[in-house]
Amino acid sequence: MDIGLVGLGKMGGNMRERMRRSGIEVVGYDRNPQLGDVASLGALVDALPSPRVVWVMVPAGDPTHETVAQLRDLLGEGDVVVDGGNSRWTDDLRHAAELAEKGIGFVDCGVSGGVWGLEEGYALMVGGSPDDIAKVAPAFEALRPSPTTGYVRAGGVGAGHFAKMVHNGIEYAMMQAYAEGYELLDKVDLVEDVTEVFASWREGTVVRSWLLDLLVKALEDDPGLTNIRGYAEDSGEGRWTVEAAIDNAVPTPAIAASLFARFVSRQDDSPSMKAVAAMRNQFGGHAVKSE
């Protein structure tokens, strides 16, 4: 398979390498010329055989809108655009309609794996028509964690990003629970080694998870999280999950509370938000604010 990849940052660069390791010919473009294989989107499109598949990995919102608009002018009938960023699912409907006017297919793909995806693989939640998805299938197979896990066609256009949105909403709530537990354990004098307590939960308990592993690693790297300010950003998906829950009258109190807790972190420095910030940095390379 040949594929174009737009955006070679923390996620995109590793995705390019993982696909290449599986024998896929990847042509990458990035605004930073030191990262890209070609100097422009036009050169990327020209380097691909038909039907051309271009995977977009740029920030959601205007950067994605602008990239899709440019590709609409460069691609033709039978080609496919994949949006693998964290776009809102409603944007997918807009992009699919715009591209369909020229006979260009559209696939939305929620990607989870962060900076660890190169070695561990990526969980992929995909939306689009079966025909369009089939043109991208070798890339999905190369990126997924194993031949039997980590990939799902969630439904039509928008379903992939909607599923990833809910995934991230759940992630918010899980991180908040770990973080609050960390603060309580750290607060009392009774517990002598909080890091070791968390480490003991990594096997055999019902709360074991990759997020727990990452929190333990963060605590081992920085005991007490003294170098991190208790300030946690929200990148959008948590808000969108709560908004979708309101629109559909689905109660999501844990997810909503975890979102509001991040807002509180911007007013007060709290130990639990240090833990949330540390986990976000561990799995996604998200920036943290130093003390």
Side-chain angles (χ1 to χ4, degrees):
M1 181 188 182
D2 292 79
I3 191 169
L5 184 60
V6 182
L8 302 170
K10 290 179 294 188
M11 291 277 283
N14 283 344
M15 290 168 63
R16 174 175 61 175
E17 177 60 23
R18 187 171 175 89
M19 286 190 282
R20 284 178 172 171
R21 291 180 183 180
S22 295
I24 294 176
E25 297 290 334
V26 185
V27 181
Y29 167 71
D30 193 274
R31 290 185 302 174
N32 182 349
Q34 295 181 334
L35 299 178
D37 305 309
V38 293
S40 67
L41 274 179
L44 178 144
V45 170
D46 289 342
L48 297 173
S50 295
R52 292 164 292 194
V53 176
V54 180
W55 189 308
V56 179
M57 285 298 295
V58 302
D62 288 342
T64 296
H65 298 326
E66 293 165 7
T67 303
V68 171
Q70 292 177 57
L71 288 172
R72 181 181 182 276
D73 294 333
L74 293 168
L75 297 173
E77 187 171 356
D79 296 338
V80 175
V81 173
V82 183
D83 179 6
N86 280 327
S87 294
R88 189 166 183 162
W89 64 276
T90 50
D91 289 344
D92 298 327
L93 304 179
R94 163 186 163 183
H95 293 152
E98 292 171 350
L99 293 169
E101 293 175 359
K102 290 190 62 178
I104 303 168
F106 179 82
V107 172
D108 59 285
C109 181
V111 182
S112 182
V115 297
W116 299 82
L118 174 59
E119 302 301 334
E120 301 292 335
Y122 300 88
L124 307 168
M125 293 143 273
V126 178
S129 74
D131 288 344
D132 289 335
I133 290 173
K135 296 175 183 177
V136 196
F140 296 146
E141 294 298 328
L143 292 169
R144 68 193 298 186
S146 78
T148 58
T149 61
Y151 164 68
V152 62
R153 177 182 179 264
V157 168
H161 278 145
F162 192 92
K164 177 59 162 49
M165 175 189 75
V166 176
H167 164 281
N168 283 25
I170 294 170
E171 175 189 296
Y172 274 48
M174 290 176 64
M175 292 169 68
Q176 188 64 28
Y178 284 132
E180 291 172 7
Y182 163 76
E183 181 170 2
L184 181 57
L185 287 169
D186 188 57
K187 184 74 172 180
V188 301
D189 295 330
L190 188 64
V191 177
E192 296 178 359
D193 193 328
V194 176
T195 300
E196 285 303 310
V197 169
F198 271 98
S200 74
W201 296 349
R202 296 170 68 181
E203 294 185 34
T205 74
V206 295
V207 298
R208 63 188 184 271
S209 74
W210 187 44
L211 281 175
L212 178 61
D213 294 339
L214 295 176
L215 178 55
V216 171
K217 183 178 185 304
L219 290 169
E220 290 173 343
D221 293 344
D222 179 13
L225 305 177
T226 56
N227 295 318
I228 297 177
R229 181 182 166 198
Y231 181 108
E233 293 282 5
D234 68 290
S235 52
E237 297 91 333
R239 297 186 189 211
W240 302 338
T241 303
V242 173
E243 290 171 2
I246 293 170
D247 291 342
N248 291 277
V250 173
T252 55
I255 294 174
S258 67
L259 173 65
F260 294 139
R262 295 197 182 188
F263 297 162
V264 172
S265 80
R266 293 159 207 183
Q267 301 169 353
D268 301 302
D269 195 30
S270 74
S272 64
M273 283 300 111
K274 287 177 180 281
V276 169
M279 283 184 277
R280 293 182 80 244
N281 178 256
Q282 286 287 329
F283 71 72
H286 299 292
V288 297
K289 292 184 180 293
S290 299
E291 283 285 22

